[in-house]
Amino acid sequence: MYQIVNREDLTPEIHLFEIAAPEVAKKAQAGQFIIIRADEKGERIPLTIADWNTEKGTVTVVFMEVGKTTRKLATLKAGESVANFAGPLGLPTHIDKFGTVVCVAGGFAIATIVPIARAMKAAGNKVISIMGFRTKDLVFWEKQLRNVSDELIVTTDDGSYGLKGVVTIPLKDMLEGKEKIDRVIAIGPTVMMKFSSLTTKPFGVKTIVSLNPIMVDGTGMCGVCRVSVGDVTKFTCVDGPDFDGHQVNWDELMARQRIYLDEEKRSLELWQHSCGRR
Amino acid sequence: MADKLDLNRVSMPKQKPRARTKNFNEVALGYSDANALAEANRCIQCKKRSCVEGCPVGVDIPEFIAAVREGNMPEAVKILKSKNALPGICGRVCPQETQCEQVCALGKKGAPIAIGRLERYVADWELKHQPDSTPEIAPATGRRVAVVGSGPAGLTVAADLAKRGHKVTILEALHIAGGVLMYGIPEFRMPKDIVQVEVDYVKSLGVEVKLDSVIGKISTVDELLEEGYDAVFLGTGAGLPMFLNIPGENLNGIYSANEFLTRTNLMKAYLFPEYDTPIKIGRKIAVIGGGNVAMDAARCALRLGFSEVNIVYRRSREELPARREEVENAEEEGVVFKLLTNPVRFLGNEQGWVTSMECIEMELGEPDESGRRRPIPKKGSEFTIDFDIVVVALGTTPNPLVPTTTKELETTKKGTVVADEETGKTSKPGVWAGGDVVTGSATVISAMGAAKRAAASMDAYLREL
């Protein structure tokens, strides 16, 4: 069992767990993920590592309530525990001195991009970050991302805060601008990563995305997370989760993310019914 | 062969085919006391003891059978467990017909003794009666051993070394110990409670099991050695699924056998939505491959509720690599065998789901390097069959996580770890390996045999430190 040392609600549906897992904390690097299982009947789901503290022996993950598992996790309070927590898995994000790096994040992936932006800055890059949200009320970790960036742009779909529109608008402006962009890291919902990659492609700027397909074991055993990158099938759990966004077959990935839509709906409805939730 | 096997041996009661395809309970029900006594009485206690030689872990078979015959069950348990820490597992999944039973003296004229069934009977008796079977444990040596992987090889090496007084820690990547016994072999062949009883037995010898520990990530083998382990055993199995590498293989509805079985067995998707992990249940399924894993996947599919379950195999019945017993079980249950058939590509719909599979007919040519006749495509014989789910069961190779993160560990082109057959020693000092990670996918008992030999070699090494 792994104790939740601290819990924060970043928005009504996005939660942060700081979990006691000293051995994982010792090895964690930006861009890696863990597999979490809420309880003995639970499924194994991957969550990207948002932060870690080797002294405290804790690892921080951030998740959004979507289906039964994430909603079940959201019912856990600080002091309670999850059944399993395995990691750090996957390859860390490639950090190097590239020059100017643009970090683009949408929704709950803001938490994932913070350690990457931090590492990029520590490696001597100029870091420009773009964070996108649906609306002002959902904005979180603005300060955290600002602290590790040279510049920060916030967008909201409805214009209630920062620039109006989606993250690809300022991204495109930047690519068309005078400053040379050497690398883009885009993390967020699949559709956002797809359009960020499409935006950068004509400019030939290397764009790294962090994919979030369905996983079971997370160690290369089952192959459900396979994704076509160029002409090659890769396993996201061991070969990724970072890939060249210009090479990813996005439509295939999005289809594969929908495999269990019906089952997930059924499972969630039954659970909500059984515990009288919304 | 099958007829001969059942000629004059006591048969084991099984669930009826129609009933058993509706549940995940164990198919073979085990001998009654009377069954076991009658079968044990057939043993002529010959002087040759070829059965012992036929057993990869050298169980004293005539002795344990004699104990059963005398009704001294605690003694039978003791004899069995002195060589084999996992009798409930081996009694169920060992291919006895090619090992101990194949060389049984009775086999010349009639059916060999049903050693596997008797082994299972003894293990089941122990489970029911719980006699004190704690073996003697040698005085503590102060040496520490890390065992990577808790499958058949890891459990065996851990038990043997613990009995010899070493402090053993098993590091398991998944959330439960047992390896392929938990994620791969289905409940109806290998009940998970029995696996856990045998894991608990290994723990009772003083072995510590650390779950959620992915070696290669949380620690490397080099770090384990630096952190104070005196020796490391790699029993990481062959967990990486092979695919066909043909067009359309990433369509929705196409599973590796590993995924299909892991969801079903380890994650208990057959109890979805009580358990959270789902599995897609369709109408018509193709399982590609002809080994035991393919049979397991096909038989799981029947139980999950698929109405048409097909095995698609590119050679003929003769070459099916699965145990004959498993092929017969599958056929009895209604699995259809489409032989001499090879998939060419998968076709899908607009939503990205597989809808059909284009196949080509095969014929058999001259024997290839495996000794089996080589399948050759028949020109122009392509045809298409509709399927809504496909399982690819072509075999597995070792997971590279440990080999690629361990310095100076020699591996082959196939990704297996090079280890001495007699001792399990690898190219890296202080590191041994055994089981599927060395041989590629093989059997539970061959992994256990390799583990026993490695344990002896490791013990000698640890005592000289």
Side-chain angles (χ1 to χ4, degrees), chain B residues 29 36 90 144 157 172 182 217 251-252 311 340 376 398 444:
Chain B
L29 301 171
C90 292
R144 290 175 67 210
V157 92
E172 166 57 44
M182 292 304 291
K217 292 290 180 186
L251 285 163
N252 288 359
I311 291 267
L340 292 164
I376 303 164
V444 167

Side-chain angles (χ1 to χ4, degrees), chain B residues 250-264:
Chain B
N250 292 347
L251 285 163
N252 288 359
I254 302 181
Y255 288 83
S256 73
N258 263 6
E259 186 195 348
F260 194 78
L261 291 174
T262 298
R263 283 182 181 273
T264 309

Side-chain angles (χ1 to χ4, degrees), chain B residues 117-154:
Chain B
R117 295 173 188 175
L118 288 171
E119 180 181 28
R120 172 182 164 173
Y121 170 76
V122 174
D124 289 355
W125 182 91
E126 189 201 7
L127 187 60
K128 213 160 121 194
H129 295 86
Q130 308 279 338
D132 180 19
S133 62
T134 319
E136 256 177 63
I137 294 180
T141 61
R143 298 292 170 211
R144 290 175 67 210
V145 179
V147 171
V148 186
S150 65

Side-chain angles (χ1 to χ4, degrees), chain A residues 27 41 68 72 222 260, chain B residues 223 255-256 274 276 399:
Chain A
K27 283 304 185 78
K41 291 183 178 176
K68 176 181 172 184
K72 201 158 72 172
C222 80
Y260 293 108
Chain B
E223 285 165 340
Y255 288 83
S256 73
E274 184 198 342
D276 292 343
N399 191 317

